[in-house]
Amino acid sequence: MIQAESNQNFVFGVKNTKTNDGYTINFINIPQIFAKGKTYEETVYYSYRVLANFLLPFSDNLDKIKAYTFRTVDTVDMSENTFYSLITVTGDLDPHKMETAFILPQTTAAHVNQEADMLSKLINYQIIS
């Protein structure tokens, strides 16, 4: 298992989209997996499970896992219903230890509150009707 070999964390970039039916999380460097849910909290939970299931077969091969980590992004969709985040994964690939950090665009200090407010409205944990 990787944890015995490395205390390294892995970082995966994700595109989050608020849809009419809920939310979708797509992995930037792993296009074959995604998560869908009604609330943002539910979708994040599913994304952790999907990511762990995808990575577990590579648990003895650090290079395979590193090949899927966040390195580049071809296009960035800056629509009002899309935002980006990073998922940090511990070396044991445990989905219960995964964490999400939001990416806010570089802006002036006065504009940071507006960006954070807009993001909080997108992830408001309520079921979208």
Side-chain angles (χ1 to χ4, degrees):
M1 186 60 88
I2 291 173
Q3 188 64 27
E5 300 172 20
S6 170
N7 291 330
Q8 182 174 12
N9 289 330
F10 304 98
V11 177
F12 298 87
V14 298
K15 176 183 171 185
N16 305 270
T17 305
K18 185 175 184 178
T19 68
N20 292 332
D21 299 327
Y23 295 85
T24 303
I25 293 178
N26 294 288
F27 292 85
I28 294 171
N29 294 100
I30 315 172
Q32 60 268 43
I33 64 172
F34 66 94
K36 291 179 81 170
K38 290 287 183 187
T39 65
Y40 184 70
E41 182 177 45
E42 173 186 50
T43 310
V44 168
Y45 171 80
Y46 292 149
S47 73
Y48 292 169
R49 303 299 294 185
V50 166
L51 183 57
N53 288 340
F54 179 81
L55 296 174
L56 279 173
F58 310 121
S59 63
D60 59 347
N61 190 333
L62 271 175
D63 290 334
K64 286 252 188 186
I65 291 176
K66 286 180 183 178
Y68 289 108
T69 59
F70 184 61
R71 296 170 316 282
T72 62
V73 60
D74 292 331
T75 58
V76 176
D77 176 8
M78 295 305 289
S79 71
E80 64 183 32
N81 291 328
T82 300
F83 56 100
Y84 291 85
S85 59
L86 300 173
I87 296 177
T88 303
V89 179
T90 56
D92 60 3
L93 309 178
D94 183 348
H96 299 100
K97 296 178 184 174
M98 294 182 187
E99 295 182 352
T100 295
F102 297 109
I103 300 173
L104 293 175
Q106 182 177 351
T107 185
T108 63
H111 196 223
V112 169
N113 285 339
Q114 290 174 318
E115 292 290 334
D117 185 51
M118 187 172 72
L119 180 60
S120 71
K121 288 177 182 170
L122 280 172
I123 61 170
N124 65 18
Y125 301 120
Q126 296 175 3
I127 294 177
I128 300 169
S129 50

